[in-house]
Amino acid sequence: QVQLVESGGGLVQAGGSLRLSCAASGRTFGRAAMGWFRQAPGKEREFVAAISRNGGSTYYADSVKGRFTISRDNAKNTVYLQMNSLKPEDTAVYYCAAAQRSTAVLRLNEYEYWGQGTQVTVSS
């Protein structure tokens, strides 16, 4: 069992930066691949970034490639999403998720555990 709690969201101007954190409890964090997804009002939840269990592989949605960076600290049971050059279209609730496998997971329905989400609002 893994419990996930996101933090770090907020209101930022376009071009600014935010760093999201996702703290995990439970002993399986170090064996889980992690991901970030987001959901804007009226839209489906979409993939943002994923990282493998050991942090050696990362994947990004085309819309955030070059601006966002996913990382993890297994000693702290935490995964991060550094978001730079934010745009108004990045506005959404951001969720972290965990999948009990070693390789990075891109598909939403392959994640077993989800956090409650943190709101990110980018003003123009």
Side-chain angles (χ1 to χ4, degrees):
Q1 193 78 4
V2 177
Q3 290 81 44
L4 305 172
V5 179
E6 303 95 336
S7 62
L11 174 64
V12 63
Q13 288 188 333
S17 298
L18 283 174
R19 187 196 198 200
L20 305 184
S21 299
C22 174
S25 62
R27 293 181 290 178
T28 58
F29 177 81
R31 297 194 292 272
M34 301 296 295
W36 286 95
F37 289 76
R38 66 187 182 186
Q39 188 167 17
K43 295 188 176 181
E44 295 186 350
R45 195 170 297 189
E46 65 175 6
F47 169 75
V48 175
I51 189 167
S52 61
R53 182 172 67 191
N54 65 2
S57 297
T58 56
Y59 297 88
Y60 299 92
D62 288 342
S63 58
V64 307
K65 204 171 292 183
R67 300 187 298 121
F68 291 11
T69 302
I70 188 171
S71 61
R72 67 188 295 163
D73 185 338
N74 286 352
K76 295 183 178 180
N77 280 9
T78 303
V79 64
Y80 305 97
L81 185 68
Q82 177 67 45
M83 305 186 295
N84 299 328
S85 301
L86 283 161
K87 304 175 181 180
E89 51 264 43
D90 294 319
T91 295
V93 177
Y94 283 71
Y95 299 89
C96 81
Q100 295 192 63
R101 53 186 290 181
S102 60
T103 54
V105 178
L106 278 66
R107 286 189 290 272
L108 182 151
N109 60 5
E110 293 187 21
Y111 283 90
E112 294 99 344
Y113 304 104
W114 291 85
Q116 293 299 307
T118 185
Q119 176 71 46
V120 171
T121 303
V122 184
S123 63
S124 57

Short mmCIF file of all heavy atoms in Angstrom, two decimals, residues 9 11 25 31 35 44 65 76 96 115 120:
data_model
loop_
_atom_site.label_atom_id
_atom_site.label_comp_id
_atom_site.label_asym_id
_atom_site.label_seq_id
_atom_site.Cartn_x
_atom_site.Cartn_y
_atom_site.Cartn_z
N GLY A 9 1.81 23.33 -5.14
CA GLY A 9 1.02 24.05 -6.13
C GLY A 9 0.76 25.48 -5.69
O GLY A 9 1.08 25.88 -4.58
N LEU A 11 -0.38 29.79 -7.32
CA LEU A 11 -0.62 30.73 -8.40
C LEU A 11 0.71 31.35 -8.82
O LEU A 11 1.48 31.83 -7.97
CB LEU A 11 -1.58 31.81 -7.93
CG LEU A 11 -1.84 32.98 -8.89
CD1 LEU A 11 -2.51 32.50 -10.17
CD2 LEU A 11 -2.68 34.05 -8.19
N SER A 25 4.14 7.46 1.61
CA SER A 25 4.29 6.64 2.81
C SER A 25 4.12 5.19 2.40
O SER A 25 3.53 4.88 1.37
CB SER A 25 3.27 7.02 3.87
OG SER A 25 1.97 6.81 3.40
N ARG A 31 10.11 0.58 -4.66
CA ARG A 31 9.87 -0.44 -5.69
C ARG A 31 8.84 0.03 -6.71
O ARG A 31 8.40 -0.75 -7.54
CB ARG A 31 9.38 -1.73 -5.04
CG ARG A 31 10.40 -2.34 -4.10
CD ARG A 31 10.04 -3.77 -3.75
NE ARG A 31 8.84 -3.86 -2.92
CZ ARG A 31 8.85 -3.80 -1.60
NH1 ARG A 31 9.99 -3.61 -0.95
NH2 ARG A 31 7.73 -3.91 -0.92
N GLY A 35 4.69 8.74 -11.43
CA GLY A 35 4.30 9.60 -12.54
C GLY A 35 3.55 10.82 -12.06
O GLY A 35 3.05 10.85 -10.92
N GLU A 44 -9.97 15.63 -19.79
CA GLU A 44 -9.56 14.36 -19.19
C GLU A 44 -8.19 14.49 -18.55
O GLU A 44 -7.38 15.35 -18.92
CB GLU A 44 -9.54 13.27 -20.26
CG GLU A 44 -10.90 12.94 -20.84
CD GLU A 44 -10.84 11.75 -21.78
OE1 GLU A 44 -9.72 11.32 -22.10
OE2 GLU A 44 -11.91 11.26 -22.18
N LYS A 65 7.91 18.90 -22.52
CA LYS A 65 9.30 18.53 -22.74
C LYS A 65 10.18 19.78 -22.85
O LYS A 65 9.83 20.73 -23.55
CB LYS A 65 9.39 17.68 -24.01
CG LYS A 65 10.59 16.78 -24.09
CD LYS A 65 10.46 15.82 -25.27
CE LYS A 65 9.35 14.82 -25.06
NZ LYS A 65 9.26 13.84 -26.17
N LYS A 76 14.13 9.77 0.65
CA LYS A 76 13.12 10.63 1.25
C LYS A 76 11.71 10.24 0.85
O LYS A 76 10.75 10.92 1.20
CB LYS A 76 13.38 12.09 0.86
CG LYS A 76 14.68 12.66 1.39
CD LYS A 76 14.83 14.12 1.01
CE LYS A 76 16.12 14.70 1.59
NZ LYS A 76 16.29 16.13 1.23
N CYS A 96 0.10 13.06 -8.48
CA CYS A 96 1.16 12.07 -8.61
C CYS A 96 0.55 10.69 -8.44
O CYS A 96 -0.52 10.52 -7.84
CB CYS A 96 2.31 12.31 -7.64
SG CYS A 96 2.09 11.74 -5.98
N GLY A 115 -2.53 10.36 -5.56
CA GLY A 115 -2.69 11.38 -4.56
C GLY A 115 -3.97 12.17 -4.79
O GLY A 115 -4.71 11.90 -5.74
N VAL A 120 -2.46 24.00 -9.69
CA VAL A 120 -1.48 24.91 -10.28
C VAL A 120 -2.24 25.86 -11.19
O VAL A 120 -2.96 25.42 -12.09
CB VAL A 120 -0.41 24.15 -11.08
CG1 VAL A 120 0.47 25.13 -11.86
CG2 VAL A 120 0.44 23.31 -10.14
#
